[in-house]
Amino acid sequence: MRRKTLFGIALMAVLSLVLAACGGGGDDKGKEKAKEGGKDYGVKFVSIATGGTGGTYYPLGGNFANLIKDATGIESNAVTSGASAENMALIQKEEVEVAFTQTDIATYATEGTNMFKEKVDNLKGLGTLYPETIQIVTTEKSGIKSVEDLKGKTVSVGESGSGTLANAEQILEAYGMTLDDVKARNLSFDDSTTGIQDGTIDAAFITAGTPTGAVEGLAATEKVVIVPLEDDKIDALIEKYPYYAKETIKEGTYNAKSDINTVAVQAMLVVRSDLSDDLVYDMTKAIYENTDKIGHAKGEQISAENALNGMAIDIHPGAKKYFDEKGISAENK
């Protein structure tokens, strides 16, 4: 009798463990869903590929990561990188979920042109952000006043594979020059401004939202000069490369005594195409409906109303759903 009782108790214990195991997974999943705002997004972490610490992408990425985490409950962070072109490779390898890039670089990536030997076929747009100004940075003591003056000089043209490098090549081309006409160095924004300051380089191409932190730091100790582009060269650039737009760096920026004419492309966010519609919708909403919480000057230029301007690649269905609900559309989408 005692044996039967013990056997019954043991059998009940085993059944309890089996039931707990079956139900426990559901409870854990339920807790995970609750943490993620009640939705199963299919990912437990969101990494945002940005750029170097001296640019605009990195601090903005940190702000976006916080907004995404607050809205979805998913752990999110910003990671440094070589910026635009490298970020497309990170998306292709599925090493990140979200990435900053320039609209021109996103176009090259989806087409498999320029620096891309093959198409990045898992790339979709989330939204555009603000103008990325092409700044040719030097100092008064360098004597460089025009693009032609760069000939023979040591010039940082952006990191290998970066959007800045493509911009440098195209601007030099507009002036009948190539990278062979300068002593090209492939440096980050921080290393570029440090090089200008210590005299190891003469000038640097920097494509970033203005004011750019690295250039502001240089302007604190040196008389910074931003080399202007002539109107006819700007028109020629825009005619050949329609993703460019005329841009003016306002008087007072980096202590400039007058406005400076140049060109810009749009900064944008892209996502992996395999991310769920719900996740991309909630990320898009979190960013564009909380621009007042973006702790960076560029937050003032980011808006849902302008988020499809310059969007030259396909939009992720989750982002499209958000913009459709807001009544926002792009002419080519």
Side-chain angles (χ1 to χ4, degrees):
M1 183 72 179
R2 186 167 179 271
R3 283 185 179 180
K4 290 183 178 180
T5 303
L6 289 172
F7 177 76
I9 292 171
L11 183 61
M12 290 180 66
V14 170
L15 288 171
S16 295
L17 287 171
V18 171
L19 289 171
C22 293
D27 289 344
D28 289 343
K29 189 173 182 181
K31 289 177 182 177
E32 187 176 312
K33 281 189 177 185
K35 181 182 177 184
E36 297 179 355
K39 297 178 182 177
D40 183 5
Y41 291 112
V43 299
K44 295 182 179 179
F45 203 87
V46 170
S47 289
I48 306 173
T50 60
T53 56
T56 306
Y57 289 171
Y58 183 70
L60 269 182
N63 279 278
F64 291 166
N66 290 334
L67 293 176
I68 290 168
K69 181 179 179 181
D70 289 346
T72 66
I74 301 175
E75 288 296 325
S76 308
N77 76 335
V79 295
T80 59
S81 72
S84 292
E86 182 180 319
N87 289 352
M88 302 302 91
L90 293 173
I91 288 282
Q92 187 174 37
K93 296 174 185 175
E94 299 186 357
E95 293 182 9
V96 298
E97 288 69 39
V98 184
F100 282 78
T101 190
Q102 298 169 195
T103 49
D104 53 337
I105 302 304
T107 301
Y108 300 152
T110 56
E111 294 175 347
T113 56
N114 203 296
M115 72 280 290
F116 297 95
K117 304 305 179 187
E118 59 182 35
K119 295 180 181 180
V120 179
D121 56 10
N122 64 337
L123 179 70
K124 298 293 181 185
L126 184 147
T128 58
L129 300 168
Y130 58 86
E132 290 258 55
T133 308
I134 287 80
Q135 306 163 73
I136 305 174
V137 183
T138 186
T139 59
E140 193 175 89
K141 65 185 179 185
S142 75
I144 297 171
K145 297 179 181 179
S146 67
V147 175
E148 291 93 341
D149 290 339
L150 295 175
K151 187 170 289 190
K153 299 293 198 280
T154 303
V155 182
S156 172
V157 293
E159 296 183 276
S160 297
S162 69
T164 300
L165 177 57
N167 301 144
E169 290 176 321
Q170 290 160 0
I171 287 173
L172 289 174
E173 176 191 48
Y175 282 82
M177 299 165 63
T178 70
L179 292 179
D180 292 335
D181 290 307
V182 301
K183 297 173 185 175
R185 298 282 302 277
N186 299 111
L187 303 175
S188 68
F189 295 164
D190 280 332
D191 288 344
S192 293
T193 53
T194 298
I196 291 172
Q197 189 171 30
D198 63 26
T200 56
I201 66 172
D202 301 300
F205 282 83
I206 291 180
T207 302
T210 56
T212 306
V215 185
E216 284 188 305
L218 179 65
T221 60
E222 301 282 347
K223 291 183 178 180
V224 164
V225 171
I226 306 296
V227 178
L229 303 185
E230 288 79 12
D231 287 341
D232 62 327
K233 304 299 185 185
I234 290 174
D235 292 341
L237 271 169
I238 293 172
E239 183 176 355
K240 186 167 185 179
Y241 305 106
Y243 40 73
Y244 282 116
K246 186 171 183 178
E247 180 73 4
T248 301
I249 300 173
K250 295 296 183 183
E251 175 185 353
T253 307
Y254 313 131
N255 303 315
K257 296 179 180 178
S258 60
D259 289 351
I260 303 158
N261 291 332
T262 183
V263 291
V265 291
Q266 285 283 322
M268 69 179 296
L269 287 176
V270 298
V271 295
R272 286 192 348 229
S273 58
D274 64 331
L275 296 185
S276 73
D277 291 0
D278 279 347
L279 175 57
V280 178
Y281 173 89
D282 287 344
M283 290 194 300
T284 307
K285 184 175 183 179
I287 291 168
Y288 288 100
E289 295 197 357
N290 291 284
T291 54
D292 58 323
K293 296 178 183 177
I294 297 173
H296 190 281
K298 284 297 167 189
E300 297 178 4
Q301 292 181 267
I302 299 171
S303 70
E305 290 70 27
N306 296 323
L308 298 182
N309 291 351
M311 177 70 72
I313 67 171
D314 290 338
I315 306 166
H316 191 286
K320 185 176 186 302
K321 177 184 175 184
Y322 171 75
F323 293 121
D324 284 348
E325 288 177 357
K326 300 282 286 185
I328 298 165
S329 61
E331 291 182 0
N332 62 333
K333 296 294 170 191

